[in-house]
Amino acid sequence: MPTDDEVVRTAADAAEEVVFSRLDNGEVDDLDVTVTFEDGVLEVDVYVHAPDAEADEKRVADDAALAARGAVDDLFDE
């Protein structure tokens, strides 16, 4: 069983990986990935501000949050 810290780190890493796979570092003015895991409940919030990027910031943020949840699911399946 993964620790709470492992869950949070796994989710945050997965979210950041998605963001930076779609956006160049120089395009991202602000990135906030907030992950909490308490009493078996995972909450992931991703905010991306990249006004010069061609990609849709909201879509990238939503996809990053989904990837974070998926990574945590995989962690528990191991």
Side-chain angles (χ1 to χ4, degrees), residues 3 5 13-14 19 21 28-29 34 40-41 46 51 55 57-58 61 67 73:
T3 67
D5 287 342
D13 288 347
V19 169
S21 73
V28 178
D29 289 351
T34 305
V41 177
V46 180
E57 297 161 303
K58 181 164 177 24
D73 286 346

Side-chain angles (χ1 to χ4, degrees), residues 19-47:
V19 169
F20 291 115
S21 73
R22 304 222 183 135
L23 302 169
D24 290 331
N25 284 356
E27 294 177 321
V28 178
D29 289 351
D30 190 19
L31 171 63
D32 183 33
V33 177
T34 305
V35 180
T36 58
F37 185 69
E38 295 178 13
D39 300 323
V41 177
L42 178 69
E43 291 187 26
V44 180
D45 184 44
V46 180
Y47 169 78

Side-chain angles (χ1 to χ4, degrees), residues 56-75:
D56 179 355
E57 297 161 303
K58 181 164 177 24
R59 170 58 70 121
V60 171
D62 289 347
D63 289 350
L66 286 172
R69 290 182 185 95
V72 169
D73 286 346
D74 291 347
L75 184 65

